[in-house]
């Protein structure tokens, strides 16, 4: 069972030593020791952990929820050897071990969905029982122009592409110098992990058929960074992939349309993950 009875909704933060020369800061809703091995792991994208905080709080009504901060984001330390999406995937499988979790739904947005896919491929212990990818990156696009390379456009343009509703676009003029510096540091970490291709791993798509757990690929229909056709190709790459379009949303559907995303996750759990209710 992935979703459990309601747990705490208050978030707490701590840093966990994974014993590999890596320490990871996590935000938790609930207590891992009381979760009986089950829970939800939420992986943020380049916008940072605050971009999935609302989703984590909402899902904490049903399960223990943990959100790690990718090392290098929000001022957290990053060891020099941790420099790829694959490295992060390995680290988060180690994190599941440290937390005593063995039946997990992994939810990832953008870069986080890419990490989730790599986790599933490396999960030889079968801890990942299902996944939800929200406008994920990671697979090679069908054409060179299908995905927008955000490294070469100004931040204001990124906001216009990422959000369907102008009200959700960040007001860059209102940011302090400290906030601007923090955003720049996060983008540097993102570019390091994403590598030369930036939005994909060249051979990831052809390997995803090996992932047999249920996967929901939910997609903001008005994403100007990665269009719905890219999401449909992503879903089709999995042996048990399911695509769900989210109307009136861009690259962050869980922010613009949280109700629709939560409803899609609930339907996915009820009809695919555990259709018999066990």
């Amino acid at each position: 069972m992935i979703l459990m009875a309601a747990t705490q909704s208050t978030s707490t933060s701590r840093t966990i030593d994974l014993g590999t020369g890596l320490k990871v800061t996590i935000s938790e809703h609930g207590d891992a020791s009381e979760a009986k091995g089950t829970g939800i792991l939420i992986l943020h994208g380049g916008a940072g952990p605050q971009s999935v905080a609302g989703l984590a709080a909402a899902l904490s009504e049903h399960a223990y929820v943990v959100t790690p901060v990718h090392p290098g984001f929000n001022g957290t330390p990053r060891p020099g050897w941790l420099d790829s999406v694959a490295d992060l995937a390995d680290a988060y499988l180690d994190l599941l071990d440290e937390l005593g979790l063995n039946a997990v739904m992994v939810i990832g947005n953008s870069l986080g969905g890419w990490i989730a896919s790599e986790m599933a491929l490396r999960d030889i212990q079968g801890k990942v029982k299902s996944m939800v990818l929200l406008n994920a990156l990671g697979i090679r696009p069908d054409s060179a122009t299908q995905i927008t390379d955000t490294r070469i456009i100004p931040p204001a343009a990124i906001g216009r592409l990422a959000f369907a509703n102008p009200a959700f676009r960040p007001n860059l003029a209102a940011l302090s110098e400290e906030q601007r510096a923090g955003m720049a540091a996060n983008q540097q970490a993102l570019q390091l992990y994403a590598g030369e291709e930036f939005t994909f791993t060249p051979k990831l798509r052809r390997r995803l058929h090996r992932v047999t757990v249920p996967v929901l690929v939910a997609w903001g229909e008005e994403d100007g960074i990665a269009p719905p056709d890219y999401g449909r190709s992503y879903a089709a790459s999995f042996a048990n992939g399911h695509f769900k379009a989210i109307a009136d949303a861009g690259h962050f559907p869980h922010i613009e349309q949280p109700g629709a995303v939560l409803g899609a996750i609930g339907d996915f759990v009820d009809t695919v993950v555990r259709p018999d209710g066990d």
Side-chain angles (χ1 to χ4, degrees):
M1 177 185 294
I2 301 300
L3 299 183
M4 298 173 56
T7 58
Q8 301 176 29
S9 59
T10 301
S11 175
T12 59
S13 180
R14 61 182 169 126
T15 299
I16 295 180
D17 189 341
L18 298 182
T20 58
L22 174 64
K23 295 181 179 180
V24 176
T25 298
I26 64 171
S27 175
E28 295 175 286
H29 290 268
D31 189 332
S33 64
E34 298 177 358
K36 299 181 180 179
T38 69
I40 299 174
L41 175 70
I42 300 183
L43 303 174
H44 67 81
Q50 67 277 7
S51 65
V52 294
L55 179 64
L59 289 171
S60 72
E61 295 300 318
H62 308 282
Y64 165 74
V65 180
V66 57
T67 304
V69 180
H70 306 328
F73 278 77
N74 286 18
T76 55
R78 180 193 61 81
W81 56 265
L82 189 79
D83 60 7
S84 70
V85 169
D87 289 338
L88 287 173
D90 288 335
Y92 294 146
L93 288 170
D94 289 340
L95 176 63
L96 297 184
D97 288 339
E98 288 293 325
L99 294 173
L101 301 177
N102 51 44
V104 179
M105 170 183 281
V106 182
I107 301 177
N109 169 235
S110 193
L111 172 73
W114 183 355
I115 300 168
S117 294
E118 293 282 5
M119 283 183 69
L121 285 169
R122 289 166 165 75
D123 181 29
I124 61 175
Q125 295 177 314
K127 293 178 179 292
V128 177
K129 301 301 184 184
S130 61
M131 294 197 300
V132 177
L133 308 186
L134 303 171
N135 290 68
L137 299 178
I139 63 170
R140 183 189 292 273
D142 295 323
S143 68
T145 59
Q146 188 176 36
I147 295 183
T148 300
D149 187 340
T150 57
R151 294 174 296 182
I152 60 175
I153 60 177
I158 296 174
R160 290 191 294 271
L161 293 173
F163 292 98
N165 186 339
F168 289 97
R169 296 169 188 168
N171 182 4
L172 300 178
L175 297 179
S176 66
E177 288 301 319
E178 182 179 5
Q179 289 172 319
R180 290 176 183 272
M183 287 180 62
N186 284 355
Q187 289 305 302
Q188 289 177 353
L190 169 64
Q191 292 189 34
L192 179 72
Y193 288 129
E196 182 179 356
E197 302 292 353
F198 190 60
T199 58
F200 65 92
T201 298
K203 297 180 180 180
L204 178 61
R205 186 192 292 210
R206 69 180 64 180
R207 300 200 307 266
L208 290 181
H209 68 278
R210 299 175 184 169
V211 177
T212 57
V213 300
V215 181
L216 170 64
V217 179
W219 217 265
E221 287 187 313
E222 297 185 43
D223 188 356
I225 296 174
D229 283 348
Y230 180 81
R232 290 186 178 90
S233 294
Y234 218 136
S237 300
F238 294 103
N240 191 5
H242 305 262
F243 182 82
K244 174 66 176 180
I246 305 296
D248 302 317
H251 199 62
F252 303 94
H254 54 292
I255 294 178
E256 293 194 88
Q257 298 295 337
V261 169
L262 291 170
I265 294 173
D267 289 344
F268 173 61
V269 171
D270 291 341
T271 61
V272 180
V273 177
R274 52 174 199 183
D276 299 325
D278 56 2

